[in-house]
Amino acid sequence: MGVSPTQWIITAVVILGLLAFDFFFHVRKAHIPTIKESATWTSIYVSIAIMFGVFVWLTMGQKSGIEYYAGYITELSLSVDNLFVFLIIMASFKVPRADQQKVLMFGIVVSLIFRTGFIFLGAVLINSFAWVFYIFGVILLITAGNLLKPEKDEDDEDSSEANNFIIKLAKRFMHTTDYYDGDKLFTMENGRKAMTPMLLVMIAIGGTDVMFALDSIPAIFGLTQNTYIVFTAVAFSLLGLRQLYFLIDGLLDRLIYLKYGLAVILGFIGVKLILHALHENNVPFINGGQPVSVVEVTTELSLAVILVTLLVVIVMSLMSPKGRALTTIKNTRRHAKQYLDTGFEADPVIRDKNYRALIAEEQTLLGLPEKHRELIHDEDELLDLLDEAHATHERYVAENPERFTDGDPMSGKPRIDTDAYRRAMENPDAFEGHDHED
């Protein structure tokens, strides 16, 4: 069923209205969203997306409805995976947490603009050249293969993301500062107008979004060639991304098998696209330019594969003891760095919260089975951070007695015995399991 220009206009106005509402009522004033706020608005945006799917189902038919839900779930899954990179970029630029909403909002708007352009370009290519399905299929298979490669070192990722080509160009042609001035994009330094890191991180997020679009658009075209469904599925998957970021921030590293699930989904859609290309074949050197009789994957099967794959990887991730240990180690490192970096979070309340989270994560590590606690043995940097964080906190308590009239509430909490772990790294056989200090 075709979509009238009026329906297109109304849909675009609704999406722009939701973005404007989000900006003026949530993002414009810098603040750190609470878990309750993030959960509420994430559920609202997901509900809006689901209700729109019902609208598509009722007005455009069952097939279109299933295509929309399959596309929406796929795009949302890819967006969650993209949040890992956003987290790395903002950590590398040391964006204050209260200002991260504005950066994410900018990234979402840029992503929507570029993906809309790619969607219409993809639609034109598909309608003109059937062989484009071969290219899209190969792109997805390559992407799936890349997801299965071993992860790069985190510090290398930080460096590559934060110092990419666009950033180097910006720094070359614009005077830049090394400090933030609230959420301003430009500030005055020594009488000259200068670009703040806020604009640089927005450029990095925007440039990364363009690269993500090159993967996500072929994926959804593998599920439907209806431009309206492609556009709305992409748009609604992006709308709630900012709130979702703050809701699952601490759990992102917990989904250790997500990339494998996405590899399966993208590989499946890639094969589906190539099968469809063979079915519609007009390439001269394949079967003499004639269509090839192959099995075509139904939309219902596609939706089932996507849902089952995501369910399996999420359950496996949440149930994995090793995943829990690796997540806690990463979060412990992150909170230690944030606590020590007063330029990142100068607010004493936030720093106290980071330190409390650090102590809680150490206690979680101490409660892990021995075979998983041994993962800490290879984390020499983490042990140094813990020593420095605890020493810094003790000095802070001594220098600010007015804030700790009843004594340090964290005093006496079990902590990792870093010296014991260092001895274990030097001589694993002599390690006697002295895990904590009293």
Side-chain angles (χ1 to χ4, degrees):
M1 178 180 290
V3 178
S4 68
T6 302
Q7 186 171 330
W8 269 104
I9 293 172
I10 293 174
T11 303
V13 169
V14 168
I15 291 171
L16 291 175
L18 289 171
L19 286 172
F21 173 85
D22 207 16
F23 176 77
F24 286 107
F25 288 92
H26 296 107
V27 178
R28 192 176 185 182
K29 183 179 179 180
H31 72 286
I32 301 174
T34 63
I35 293 295
K36 181 180 179 181
E37 176 186 342
S38 300
T40 299
W41 285 102
T42 297
S43 62
I44 288 174
Y45 278 109
V46 170
S47 298
I48 291 174
I50 292 173
M51 288 188 293
F52 183 80
V54 173
F55 165 77
V56 170
W57 195 303
L58 295 176
T59 59
M60 300 176 65
Q62 176 181 333
K63 183 175 183 296
S64 296
I66 294 175
E67 288 177 349
Y68 166 81
Y69 283 122
Y72 171 74
I73 294 169
T74 300
E75 291 298 311
L76 187 61
S77 303
L78 291 170
S79 296
V80 170
D81 188 52
N82 297 346
L83 291 181
F84 284 95
V85 180
F86 290 168
L87 183 64
I88 291 171
I89 291 174
M90 286 195 279
S92 65
F93 278 97
K94 300 180 180 179
V95 182
R97 193 162 175 81
D99 295 322
Q100 290 181 6
Q101 290 199 96
K102 185 165 288 187
V103 175
L104 286 169
M105 188 70 184
F106 174 84
I108 289 169
V109 172
V110 169
S111 181
L112 185 58
I113 292 171
F114 277 104
R115 293 186 191 208
T116 299
F118 286 142
I119 287 169
F120 286 105
L121 176 61
V124 170
L125 291 174
I126 287 171
N127 289 330
S128 303
F129 311 102
W131 50 261
V132 170
F133 286 110
Y134 287 114
I135 296 177
F136 281 4
V138 170
I139 288 174
L140 293 183
L141 290 175
I142 293 173
T143 304
N146 288 335
L147 286 172
L148 298 177
K149 290 181 179 179
E151 292 184 357
K152 296 180 181 179
D153 180 74
E154 187 172 306
D155 291 334
D156 291 340
E157 276 192 308
D158 288 358
S159 176
S160 63
E161 294 293 348
N163 297 292
N164 59 40
F165 180 69
I166 299 175
I167 298 301
K168 289 179 180 178
L169 279 180
K171 287 184 175 181
R172 180 177 180 181
F173 292 105
M174 287 291 298
H175 177 52
T176 62
T177 67
D178 295 326
Y179 58 86
Y180 289 90
D181 185 7
D183 59 1
K184 294 180 180 178
L185 304 182
F186 294 92
T187 188
M188 297 300 295
E189 184 180 58
N190 300 325
R192 295 175 60 193
K193 191 174 185 179
M195 180 189 299
T196 70
M198 180 62 71
L199 183 55
L200 291 178
V201 71
M202 286 184 173
I203 293 172
I205 292 285
T208 305
D209 271 329
V210 174
M211 299 304 297
F212 289 154
L214 296 177
D215 295 335
S216 68
I217 298 306
I220 193 168
F221 269 118
L223 298 169
T224 176
Q225 285 79 60
N226 186 311
T227 308
Y228 181 76
I229 294 176
V230 171
F231 171 76
T232 52
V234 169
F236 282 113
S237 71
L238 292 173
L239 281 175
L241 196 58
R242 178 185 61 80
Q243 295 83 355
L244 189 62
Y245 173 87
F246 289 95
L247 179 62
I248 67 174
D249 180 13
L251 297 175
L252 281 175
D253 290 324
R254 190 75 178 84
L255 302 175
I256 60 172
Y257 298 122
L258 178 62
K259 69 171 187 175
Y260 300 110
L262 292 176
V264 170
I265 291 171
L266 293 180
F268 171 81
I269 298 175
V271 171
K272 180 178 186 292
L273 275 170
I274 291 175
L275 290 174
H276 181 73
L278 290 170
H279 188 267
E280 302 290 331
N281 180 62
N282 57 11
V283 178
F285 55 82
I286 298 178
N287 198 37
Q290 297 300 312
V292 180
S293 179
V294 293
V295 176
E296 285 224 69
V297 180
T298 64
T299 306
E300 290 81 1
L301 177 59
S302 300
L303 179 59
V305 169
I306 292 167
L307 289 173
V308 170
T309 302
L310 288 176
L311 181 63
V312 169
V313 298
I314 289 173
V315 171
M316 288 179 61
S317 295
L318 296 178
M319 292 181 64
S320 168
K322 182 178 180 181
R324 183 162 57 251
L326 291 172
T327 299
T328 306
I329 289 173
K330 289 182 180 180
N331 286 337
T332 301
R333 184 192 300 111
R334 179 163 60 92
H335 281 114
K337 286 182 177 179
Q338 290 179 355
Y339 178 76
L340 290 168
D341 193 345
T342 55
F344 181 30
E345 291 295 2
D347 187 335
V349 176
I350 298 176
R351 295 190 70 227
D352 284 351
K353 184 178 179 182
N354 282 332
Y355 189 75
R356 289 173 183 272
L358 176 63
I359 295 297
E361 284 152 0
E362 284 190 65
Q363 294 173 15
T364 300
L365 288 175
L366 292 173
L368 293 173
E370 177 60 32
K371 64 178 180 179
H372 294 129
R373 269 181 284 167
E374 289 177 355
L375 294 169
I376 305 172
H377 295 175
D378 299 325
E379 294 287 344
D380 197 30
E381 179 203 11
L382 174 62
L383 299 178
D384 291 339
L385 285 171
L386 291 177
D387 283 340
E388 189 178 356
H390 295 322
T392 301
H393 181 72
E394 290 171 3
R395 289 196 302 270
Y396 181 67
V397 172
E399 294 168 0
N400 298 272
E402 72 282 356
R403 296 198 69 238
F404 301 93
T405 54
D406 297 327
D408 179 13
M410 295 293 102
S411 178
K413 298 285 186 180
R415 301 174 185 174
I416 291 175
D417 186 347
T418 54
D419 290 335
Y421 276 97
R422 286 192 177 91
R423 290 195 299 272
M425 283 187 284
E426 295 172 359
N427 186 11
D429 295 333
F431 184 60
E432 299 178 356
H434 297 294
D435 299 318
H436 63 85
E437 302 170 341
D438 294 324

